[in-house]
Each structure stands twice: as C-alpha cells, then as structure tokens.
C-alpha cells in the first residue's frame, strides 16, 4: 500500500467503510482502485471507537459475508436485536416489533470494528492502493478519463471517479453536484453504559414529550455477565452541551431518571461522542465517469439506522452493474443502472425517516395525538408493521 501508479480503473475519494468496501468488491472483479484519504494511515488502519454502534440488517451481514469481511469481525462483539419497541411520550404507548422466525431483527456492531475488518480486507491487496494524508486538489473529467492532481503532489488518471467522502462531501461541492440538505438543529450523543437490569435483547426508542429522544440498544453482556447497552440521546445543541458537561456519575444518574429507572443503576462505560444531525440527499448519484457513494449520496438521519446499510447496498449495486457491463467501470449503462436502482432503494426510507423525525420531535398537541394514533395503528394493522419489519430484516435486494 501507499505507492501509486499513474492510471487506475477507479479513483475513490474517501477511505471510510463504504469507499474501502467498494475497493474490495471491485478488486474481486480484477479492477484496480486508488483510494484517496485525508486522514493518516494509522487512523484508517487502526480506527478508534467513535461511540457509534451500527445496527446492521440481514442484507448487510450477507453482503459482508460474501466479501469475506463478516468472519473478520469478532463474533462475540456482534449483538443480536431480538425485539424492538418504539415509545411515545413516556413508557406507556408503544409499538412492538419482533421476528416470528428464530432470526434476530438485526445485529449491532461497533463502527470501529466494522471499519477495521473492511480495512484489513484490502490491506495487502495488490488491486488496492491507499494514499493517506491526501486529498484531490483539482479534478478534471473528460472523454478519456478522470484526471486528479493530488495535494501530496503528482497526478493520476482513472476511468471512473467514486465520491465517498461523507455527507459533507467537499468533492461533491467541488464538482457542483447539488444535494438537498436538512439540518434538524439537533445533536446526537452516543455512549455505552452498563446497567443492573436486563435489556432482554430489545432495542428501545423513546420519543419523550419534553424534547429528548433516548434510544437504548442491547449489547452482549460484558465478561462479568453485566448488562450493557448503547445509549443514544438526541436533543437540541444547548441541552446536549448541558449533559456533555456532567461528570460520569451525574450523567449516569441523569440517564437512569430519564429512562424511569427501567434499567436500574447505570454506569458510563466509555467516552461520550456527539454528532450534529444533518441529512443530505444528492440530486444525482451519477454522471459521465463519476458516481456518489455512501453518505456522500445519501446521508440518513441515524434514527432508522440505515446509513451504512444503504452504503453497502450501493456497493453491491455498483459492483453488479459494472460486472453486467463486462467490467467497464465507466459504462454509462452501468452508472445509470446504479443511479436508478440506488435511488429506488433509498428514497422512500430517506423521506419517511425525515417525516418520522419531524412528527416525533414536534410537541404540538396535534403531533402528540398523531403519534399515538400512528403507534396504535401500527400495532393493530399488521401491514404497517409488516413493511417496517421487512425493511429491518431484508435479506435480499428487491
Ligand atoms: C451516531 C450515528 C449512529 C449511526 N448508526 C447507524 C446504524 O445503526 N446503522 C447504519 O447503517 N448506519 C448508521 N450510521 C451511519 C454510518 O455511520 C454512515 O452511514 C457511514 O459511516 C458512512 O460511511 P461512508 O464511508 O460513506 O462515509 P464516512 O464514514 O463519513 O467516511 C468518509 C471518509 O472520507 C474521508 N474524507 C472526507 N473528506 C475527504 C476529502 N476531501 N478527501 C479525502 N478523504 C476525505 C473521511 O476522512 C472518511 O474517512 C450512524 C451514524 C451516526 C453519526
């Protein structure tokens, strides 16, 4: 790694989990990628915990399995979600979701372990060149290829440019690709906590009437058999600052009370990380010799836990499209197929997620009633729940 030739099949901007997973998928077809990453090699090769515990669908597990990445994730760190409950206002009104089969609804894995397993899958791969501490200073696309001058010096050319440099993508902006942006004016704090009472392998999302949203996602027990969860707290920036300023004990007492002591005594296990909540959706996912991938294409609000799941799905769709085009990464037919299919797969849930967030974080009397009706309705009307369950448990692309 870290050497580069002049021409490649694909140039990928961003060595996040999606950019590297794409390099891996295309390498299996014998295609050569160069990946440009602004962070250091150490940050990419040894990713540190960032508080994100990622809920993976069955489809994502399957895709990672087919790429040989799933077995590299320590299986004791894969926590199954058996049941999910969504609460409205307090802890009375809720909708239940559970699988009728023996399968879990999904699996929780820490983001840094996913990133590490994906990085390891391309480290030492002769088809993948990683240039770290490096960005694209200038990008020019013409009929012959995509020409990039590097911040670290030198130039390279590729048949296809893949933009995978996050929802705040500088490359997307650089190329003038429009994207809708929705700033929720909220901040999401994530951390791990141990607790006295069981979580029953149930993921709980509580939309409280006082403007706070708390999610408690079940994790496997620690080595002493202690119960653990990933705790996700959404609030406006001022409130986020207030709880971020609490010391570990005061924060744990705050969380216990907010969760109405359902989990007994709680203890903060690691550091707290906060993320501003901004959703983005690009107007186009492809053009002549370029595609947008991962969060750079679809930056989901994390509440429905689909950002990375969609990213992996996009990787599979693009790899498949290129294969169908006889291995030509710049085939207009392949890029259009990816654009169309990925839009179809992501747009409905992107819009539904933003709608759900608006409804559940607005505390007008009308919104409160609508929330209750929706939850009761979803509990009673199996088709509504069926759609949600299908999305969570999807094992195949539709
Ligand atoms: C709190 C939280 C919880 C989440 N939970 C879930 C979940 O449960 N399930 C789920 O599916 N998803 C979840 N997500 C979403 C998931 O983390 C993202 O979808 C995923 O990280 C996207 O990967 P990516 O590779 O597209 O982008 P990123 O992870 O953002 O990686 C982008 C990479 O590009 C690099 N880069 C940026 N700019 C440049 C540049 N100019 N040049 C070169 N390199 C650049 C960055 O350094 C980075 O390495 C969650 C997100 C958050 C914030």
């Amino acid at each position: 790694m870290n050497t580069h030739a002049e021409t490649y099949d694909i140039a990928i901007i961003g060595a996040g989990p999606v950019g590297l997973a794409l390099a891996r998928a295309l390498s299996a077809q014998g295609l050569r990628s160069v990946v440009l990453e602004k962070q250091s090699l150490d940050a990419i090769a040894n990713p540190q915990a960032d508080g994100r515990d990622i809920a993976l669908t069955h489809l994502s597990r399957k895709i990672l399995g087919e790429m040989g990445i799933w077995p590299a994730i320590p299986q004791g760190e894969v926590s199954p979600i058996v049941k999910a409950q969504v609460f409205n206002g307090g802890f009375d009104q809720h909708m239940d979701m559970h699988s009728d089969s023996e399968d879990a609804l999904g699996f929780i894995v820490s983001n840094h372990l996913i990133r590490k397993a994906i990085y390891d899958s391309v480290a030492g791969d002769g088809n993948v060149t990683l240039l770290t501490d490096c960005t694209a200073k200038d990008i020019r696309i013409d009929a012959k290829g995509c020409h990039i001058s590097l911040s670290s010096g030198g130039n390279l050319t590729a048949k296809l440019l893949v933009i995978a440099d996050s929802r705040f993508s500088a490359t997307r902006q650089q190329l003038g690709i429009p994207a809708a942006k929705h700033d929720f004016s909220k901040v999401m704090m994530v951390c791990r906590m141990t607790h006295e009472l069981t979580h029953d392998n149930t993921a709980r999302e509580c939309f409280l009437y006082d403007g706070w949203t708390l999610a408690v996602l079940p994790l496997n027990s620690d080595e002493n058999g202690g119960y653990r969860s990933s705790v996700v707290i959404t609030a406006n920036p001022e409130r986020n600052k207030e709880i971020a300023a609490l010391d570990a004990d005061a924060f744990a007492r705050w969380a216990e009370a907010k969760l109405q002591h359902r989990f007994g005594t709680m203890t903060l296990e690691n550091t707290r990380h906060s993320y501003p909540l901004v959703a983005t959706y690009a107007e186009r996912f492809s053009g002549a010799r370029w595609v947008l991938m991962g969060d750079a294409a679809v930056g989901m609000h994390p509440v429905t836990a689909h950002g990375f799941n969609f990213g992996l799905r996009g990787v599979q769709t693009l790899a498949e499209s290129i294969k169908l085009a006889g291995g030509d990464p710049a085939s207009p037919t392949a890029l259009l197929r990816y654009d169309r299919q990925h839009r179809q797969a992501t747009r409905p849930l992107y819009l539904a997620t933003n709608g759900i967030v608006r409804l559940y974080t607005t505390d007008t009397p009308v919104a409160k009633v609508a929330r209750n009706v929706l939850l009761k309705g979803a509990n009673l009307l199996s088709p509504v729940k069926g759609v949600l369950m299908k999305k969570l448990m999807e094992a195949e692309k539709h």
Side-chain angles (χ1 to χ4, degrees):
M1 311 263 290
N2 256 348
T3 55
H4 71 274
E6 272 185 2
T7 57
Y8 297 88
D9 293 311
I10 300 107
I12 300 171
I13 315 253
V18 174
L20 288 182
L22 181 70
R24 164 76 177 173
L26 296 178
S27 171
Q29 294 183 38
L31 294 169
R32 293 175 60 245
S33 299
V34 59
V35 188
L36 274 58
E37 168 57 51
K38 69 173 179 184
Q39 295 186 70
S40 68
L41 178 60
D42 186 47
I44 300 301
N46 303 299
Q48 299 301 301
D50 59 9
R52 295 185 213 187
D53 282 301
I54 304 289
L56 295 170
T57 59
H58 286 263
L59 178 61
S60 291
R61 181 176 66 164
K62 184 166 177 268
I63 295 173
L64 290 171
E66 284 165 0
M67 291 200 285
I69 293 167
W70 184 256
I73 296 174
Q75 294 301 297
E77 298 288 341
V78 177
S79 306
I81 304 173
V82 173
K83 204 168 139 186
Q85 294 181 328
V86 182
F87 294 87
N88 179 30
F91 288 91
D92 307 328
Q93 299 286 350
H94 73 267
M95 172 175 70
D96 272 323
M97 286 188 278
H98 57 89
S99 161
D100 290 330
S101 66
E102 282 185 11
D103 267 342
L105 286 172
F107 311 91
I108 299 177
V109 183
S110 181
N111 193 38
H112 74 290
L113 296 179
I114 298 175
R115 290 180 54 207
K116 173 75 180 145
I118 296 176
Y119 170 80
D120 286 347
S121 77
V122 295
D125 182 334
N127 282 332
V128 181
T129 300
L130 176 61
L131 304 178
T132 48
D133 297 303
C134 179
T135 58
K137 213 164 60 179
D138 186 54
I139 300 172
R140 190 172 50 82
I141 299 175
D142 62 23
K144 288 192 181 143
C146 154
H147 314 280
I148 303 177
S149 67
L150 306 174
S151 61
S152 51
N155 301 295
L156 59 86
T157 297
K159 293 175 190 158
L160 174 68
L161 171 70
V162 174
I163 303 164
D165 55 349
S166 87
R167 69 186 61 204
F168 303 111
S169 172
T171 314
R172 192 180 63 207
Q173 277 181 24
Q174 206 176 337
L175 295 186
I177 304 163
K181 187 173 149 193
H182 188 92
D183 187 342
F184 293 93
S185 304
K186 302 257 176 180
V187 178
M188 183 174 266
M189 176 187 282
V190 281
C191 61
R192 287 185 162 204
M193 299 188 79
T194 53
H195 42 87
E196 196 183 4
L197 305 177
T198 180
H199 48 48
D200 287 324
N201 293 104
T202 302
R204 295 178 172 86
E205 181 90 41
C206 319
F207 296 96
L208 302 176
Y209 280 156
D210 57 6
W212 295 93
T213 301
L214 275 83
V216 183
L217 311 174
L219 299 173
N220 293 342
S221 296
D222 63 21
E223 59 274 18
N224 304 316
Y227 300 118
R228 300 155 78 214
S229 290
S230 177
V231 176
V232 184
I233 302 161
T234 308
N236 65 37
E238 294 75 35
R239 284 177 156 184
N240 173 272
K241 262 192 208 147
E242 281 168 26
I243 56 167
L246 297 176
D247 67 26
D249 275 350
F251 174 75
R253 302 294 81 74
W254 178 89
E256 285 168 10
K258 218 61 194 160
L259 292 163
Q260 297 184 2
H261 304 278
R262 293 175 74 92
F263 299 97
T265 306
M266 301 180 79
T267 309
L268 184 63
E269 189 184 290
N270 61 2
T271 45
R272 289 162 277 179
H273 299 258
S274 292
Y275 297 89
L277 291 179
V278 179
T280 55
Y281 201 94
E283 272 182 25
R284 296 170 65 194
F285 291 171
S286 74
R289 294 191 180 275
W290 63 263
V291 292
L292 290 172
M293 295 281 307
D295 276 17
V298 184
M300 293 285 292
H301 186 298
V303 71
T304 44
H306 255 74
F308 179 61
N309 289 305
F310 277 159
L312 272 182
R313 196 184 170 114
V315 164
Q316 196 190 40
T317 305
L318 182 62
E320 207 174 69
S321 303
I322 291 173
K323 198 170 185 180
L324 286 171
D328 176 7
S331 152
T333 317
L335 305 188
L336 265 177
R337 180 183 183 271
Y338 161 73
D339 192 317
R340 206 181 51 242
Q341 290 207 357
H342 200 45
R343 192 167 295 278
Q344 272 171 9
T346 56
R347 195 155 178 83
L349 192 64
Y350 175 81
L351 294 175
T353 300
N354 292 356
I356 288 169
V357 171
R358 268 196 299 276
L359 179 64
Y360 279 87
T361 53
T362 308
D363 276 336
T364 61
V366 175
K368 285 180 185 174
V369 172
R371 288 153 63 157
N372 274 334
V373 169
L374 194 78
L375 282 192
K376 279 189 189 150
N379 253 339
L380 293 172
L381 299 171
S382 52
V384 176
K385 239 158 77 169
V387 170
L388 291 171
M389 292 283 297
K390 207 166 144 192
K391 200 77 223 164
L392 273 172
M393 297 194 64
E394 64 182 353
E396 301 290 339
K397 289 206 297 179
H398 308 291

